[in-house]
Amino acid sequence: MRAQIWVSDVVRALEVARTDEERARVLEMLGFVPPAVPDAGQVMPFAEPEGPRAPFEAPRRERRPEPAHEPPPATAAEEETPNADVPEELPLLPPVRVEAVPTPREPVRPLARPTAERVPLPHLPLFVPGWTSAILRAMVSRRVPEGAVDIPALIDTLAHGRPVRRLPRLPLPTMRYGVQVLVDRGPGMQPFRRDQNELLDRVRAVVGPSLVEVGYFSGTPQRGTGPGARWTRTAYVPPESGRPVLLLSDLGLGGPPDDPQRGTRQEWEHFVGLVTRAGCGVVTLSPYPPRRWPRWMTGLLPLVSWDRTTTASRATVRLP
């Protein structure tokens, strides 16, 4: 493909030329006039080329002007070609070889089709799973004087000259009294529903299903407690004497601040009074950190933090 020569190229070349002879030579070399020997005093006018001519390269040295000659007549093939500068379409080359795509050794399994079945997300319990049983035993066990003989207490009785009517024994934890579990279903405990249900299963496994009494409530137990739906709940009744009460509640710390169903301090004081007069002890598992517990709450009943920092030694409480 040859480069095109425009009029602007001619103008630039003529500006560089100094004499008329050089200008004529430039026009001749650029193909705008046929080669001829211009007269010294005659100025060559600009002339349009009669047909497309091949551009000449600038010679490296001066040559004597050649006599003018007529361009050769165009052939039939050149006349049929609309533009000799436009390259013809190149033919496609046949491929040398075709490489086969290697198949994978292990077939790719297609994705499963979406279904309406909901798969539960993995759950991380609030207690360390390996410590949960020991924590529950420390919380719901009662200490009864059924251990070994308390030698220091026996010596003290004899030294003071008092009669020994019964051998003093060391306290021993036991779970034969069972436990009453009260589950708070209020708005503040809604994020911990799954933890409550799983902890109930662990309590039944540790204490025994026949010794576990379950009651659900919302707000406070006095507003209605029962093992079933809310419309089946009745007034709260404390358990039999000696049975501890495990309370799974936030005691009104969570939930909306303007919730009218939230339990008040007076209601919780009344509840603890009912349980204590029945000869039972109560302990609370709270999912909120101790820094959020008010002073009246920690002085009212034992609280255990329901998180992964709790161990069996920290959960040990003294129940009557």
Side-chain angles (χ1 to χ4, degrees):
M1 182 176 180
R2 297 176 298 175
Q4 298 292 331
I5 298 176
W6 304 92
V7 178
S8 59
D9 300 330
V10 179
V11 173
R12 292 186 186 130
L14 293 177
E15 290 179 353
V16 178
R18 299 179 179 178
T19 62
D20 295 340
E21 183 179 1
E22 291 181 359
R23 295 189 186 94
R25 186 60 180 169
V26 168
L27 294 176
E28 180 184 351
M29 288 189 297
L30 296 180
F32 277 79
V33 294
V37 179
D39 297 336
Q42 184 180 0
V43 179
M44 292 292 296
F46 294 102
E48 294 292 336
E50 298 179 358
R53 295 176 178 272
F56 293 95
E57 295 183 358
R60 297 183 180 179
R61 59 183 181 179
E62 288 189 4
R63 295 182 302 173
R64 293 184 178 180
E66 299 178 357
H69 61 276
E70 295 293 333
T75 60
E78 292 179 354
E79 292 179 355
E80 292 179 359
T81 305
N83 192 351
D85 293 335
V86 179
E88 298 181 357
E89 184 177 358
L90 298 177
L92 296 178
L93 299 177
V96 177
R97 64 177 182 274
V98 178
E99 296 183 358
V101 179
T103 57
R105 298 181 180 178
E106 297 181 0
V108 180
R109 297 182 180 180
L111 297 177
R113 295 183 178 180
T115 60
E117 181 182 359
R118 295 184 178 180
V119 180
L121 298 175
H123 177 61
L124 184 64
L126 294 178
F127 281 152
V128 177
W131 301 349
T132 304
S133 299
I135 293 173
L136 293 176
R137 291 191 187 95
M139 293 179 61
V140 303
S141 297
R142 284 195 58 186
R143 294 183 174 270
V144 294
E146 297 178 355
V149 177
D150 190 354
I151 301 298
L154 180 60
I155 294 175
D156 183 74
T157 301
L158 295 175
H160 286 82
R162 294 191 297 264
V164 181
R165 296 185 177 90
R166 186 176 182 181
L167 289 177
R169 293 183 176 273
L170 296 175
L172 186 69
T174 180
M175 292 186 295
R176 68 170 180 263
Y177 293 94
V179 62
Q180 183 188 60
V181 184
L182 300 179
V183 184
D184 189 354
R185 293 299 199 186
M189 294 296 293
Q190 186 176 3
F192 310 101
R193 294 284 178 89
R194 192 170 178 179
D195 296 279
Q196 291 176 338
N197 297 335
E198 291 189 359
L199 193 66
L200 278 177
D201 296 337
R202 297 298 298 270
V203 171
R204 293 188 180 100
V206 171
V207 182
S210 59
L211 298 177
V212 178
E213 178 186 354
V214 180
Y216 299 95
F217 69 94
S218 181
T220 56
Q222 303 93 300
R223 299 178 185 178
T225 305
R230 180 174 300 182
W231 58 273
T232 62
R233 300 171 186 173
T234 57
Y236 173 72
V237 178
E240 58 185 5
S241 179
R243 173 167 289 189
V245 177
L246 177 60
L247 190 62
L248 307 182
S249 173
D250 61 344
L251 302 180
L253 289 178
D258 55 348
D259 185 12
Q261 302 297 326
R262 175 183 293 188
T264 61
R265 175 180 177 178
Q266 291 75 17
E267 289 177 312
W268 286 114
E269 290 176 348
H270 176 65
F271 165 75
V272 174
L274 289 177
V275 176
T276 304
R277 286 191 296 269
C280 304
V282 58
V283 58
T284 302
L285 265 180
S286 176
Y288 292 93
R291 64 176 180 273
R292 294 191 57 183
W293 298 344
R295 185 171 299 177
W296 69 265
M297 191 178 296
T298 56
L300 181 63
L301 74 170
L303 274 82
V304 177
S305 182
W306 195 358
D307 56 22
R308 290 190 163 247
T309 62
T310 302
T311 59
S313 59
R314 292 185 179 181
T316 301
V317 294
R318 294 188 176 274
L319 299 176

